[in-house]
Structure formats: C-alpha cells, structure tokens
Amino acid sequence: MRFYLLLSLTLVASLLSSCGEPAASPSLQKARAIHAQLNELSVTLHDGMQESLAVVETQIEASLQAGDSALAIQLARLESQLGELDVRFHDWNATVVGIPGDACDHDHGDHEGHDHGDHDHAHGNELSLEGMTDAQILEIQEALLAELGALQALFDSIGSAVPEAVNE
C-alpha cells in the first residue's frame, strides 16, 4: 500500500512540475535582460535629449535678449541637431520589439513637455518576433542595443558642444 501511495505522490508531483512553462534558454534570458536594459537606457537618453533641448532653447532666448545673435545662431544649430537626433530616436524606438510571451512593463505615457506628433505607442502596431528562434531574438535585441549606443554617443557629442557654444 505504501508503494502505491509513494508512486501516486511521485506521479502527481511530476505532472504538476511538467505543467508549467518550460525554462527559458540562456539566449532568451539574455535577450530579456537586454530588452530591460533597452527600456531603461532609452528613457534616460530621451529624458536627456528633452532636457538639453529645453536648456538650449532658454540659452537661445537669453542670447537674443542680450543681443548676441552669433551665439543664438550657434545654439540654433545645436537645437536643430538635437531635434534631428530626437527624430532618429523615435524612429529607433518604433523598431523596438518585445520578447514573445512577455508582458509590456515599460511606460508609454506622455512625456512632459514633449509633443508626440504623428506617432503613438499603440501595441497593435508592434512588430512581432513570434516564430523566431531564441538566438534570433537575442540577435535582434543586441542590434537594438548597439543602435541605441550609437544614438547615445551622438547625443554625448552634441551635448558636449553646448558648453563650447556658450563659451565662444
């Protein structure tokens, strides 16, 4: 009798453990980590761009009020570069694809002081990675991270020009 009870418990335990989701592969785990990093870094970059645009706009106004049109023109160029970078950022952001099966856990709310213009964050329009292998999903997340790194480097180079323009 004990044998049957032990056998029953073992069978029930194995059935319960097999009913859950299969363990994620190392590639998929890494892809999820990269996606979380993308979300965090993209918010930081976008916030930085918006703050820089606000600072440059204020500096333009101040230089115009002070009668320094040469500085205002330099700052307007920086403002234009930041605006172009913002457009590139939103183009990149439109290509960010979530991991299949994961719930969206990042904020799609309005950014204070930022006009979303002709784009939105509707999930119905998202690209899908369904049907791709874990390695392919990882490769896409790595490519997105590399492009975000390039955007960050460009922002850093533009941002470093702001003090130079003010000091000239």
Side-chain angles (χ1 to χ4, degrees):
M1 179 75 176
R2 275 188 156 184
F3 172 75
Y4 291 115
L5 180 60
L6 185 59
L7 182 63
S8 298
L9 289 175
T10 305
L11 182 61
V12 167
S14 69
L15 284 174
L16 288 176
S17 67
S18 67
C19 290
E21 290 286 319
S25 71
S27 293
L28 194 57
Q29 289 174 359
K30 187 173 180 185
R32 283 188 174 117
I34 291 172
H35 188 75
Q37 187 179 10
L38 286 173
N39 290 333
E40 183 180 317
L41 294 174
S42 66
V43 167
T44 302
L45 174 58
H46 190 259
D47 289 350
M49 287 189 299
Q50 295 306 306
E51 289 170 15
S52 293
L53 277 167
V55 167
V56 169
E57 288 170 0
T58 301
Q59 290 175 342
I60 290 171
E61 289 175 24
S63 63
L64 287 173
Q65 288 177 355
D68 191 350
S69 60
L71 178 58
I73 290 171
Q74 288 177 318
L75 291 168
R77 286 185 190 125
L78 288 175
E79 181 184 37
S80 176
Q81 291 174 337
L82 287 167
E84 289 172 15
L85 181 60
D86 188 56
V87 169
R88 285 186 57 192
F89 172 83
H90 284 285
D91 288 345
W92 168 86
N93 197 43
T95 67
V96 174
V97 184
I99 308 296
D102 287 359
C104 175
D105 62 353
H106 51 278
D107 180 25
H108 288 287
D110 289 332
H111 306 287
E112 187 176 323
H114 177 67
D115 177 18
H116 283 99
D118 63 350
H119 69 275
D120 61 28
H121 297 288
H123 286 159
N125 297 331
E126 280 191 359
L127 302 171
S128 174
L129 299 179
E130 292 292 334
M132 293 186 146
T133 67
D134 293 353
Q136 290 169 324
I137 292 170
L138 174 58
E139 184 179 342
I140 289 170
Q141 298 300 316
E142 289 172 333
L144 288 167
L145 184 59
E147 181 61 23
L148 182 60
L151 292 172
Q152 180 67 57
L154 184 55
F155 172 67
D156 292 343
S157 70
I158 293 170
S160 68
V162 173
E164 293 171 17
V166 173
N167 293 328
E168 288 180 359

